[in-house]
Amino acid sequence: MIEIHLYGKLRRFAENSSLIGDSVLCLEPLPGETSLALLQRAGIPLEELQHVFLNGTLLMTRNRMAPWLRYPQARPDVWRWDEDVEVKSGDRLGLFGEDMPSLVV
């Protein structure tokens, strides 16, 4: 099972879309499925995504400030949305939408 944690306006895709508690989708990955294919299958519009984290590391972002914020990165070029990675059971995705362009921890 893959957990997809949704934040901001993306919470609407989870059963619990309340601001209180976690908004999480759980899906079983298909063999060879990539993160973006999984999200498309879940019905999440890719154009609404601002940041995608995989297991706590930044996988993709539309924000050019990411290197300055020193997020751990899942791959060297986090701005490439045309290069995707295969996901496997046990992975966790964190999705932040257009309403959350800057994340500062």
Side-chain angles (χ1 to χ4, degrees), residues 1-100:
M1 209 51 96
I2 293 179
E3 291 183 1
I4 304 170
H5 293 255
L6 303 160
Y7 301 95
K9 292 180 181 178
L10 295 174
R11 288 176 169 270
R12 73 183 189 275
F13 294 102
E15 190 173 308
N16 176 20
S17 60
S18 167
L19 295 177
I20 300 171
D22 292 333
S23 295
V24 181
L25 288 173
C26 292
L27 292 173
E28 193 65 47
L30 301 174
E33 192 167 36
T34 66
S35 62
L36 294 180
L38 178 81
L39 297 178
Q40 286 180 314
R41 184 163 59 94
I44 299 170
L46 302 181
E47 61 274 3
E48 289 188 35
L49 299 176
Q50 186 72 23
H51 312 285
V52 176
F53 286 83
L54 174 63
N55 300 323
T57 60
L58 185 61
L59 179 61
M60 294 177 223
T61 186
R62 298 188 200 283
N63 185 324
R64 289 287 176 187
M65 290 297 294
W68 304 106
L69 297 174
R70 300 193 190 277
Y71 293 127
Q73 295 181 198
R75 57 196 177 106
D77 191 349
V78 294
W79 300 283
R80 301 265 331 243
W81 287 74
D82 60 335
E83 288 183 8
D84 201 1
V85 298
E86 187 175 330
V87 290
K88 59 189 179 311
S89 190
D91 281 345
R92 177 180 168 156
L93 292 171
L95 306 182
F96 296 84
E98 296 172 312
D99 60 322
M100 303 185 82

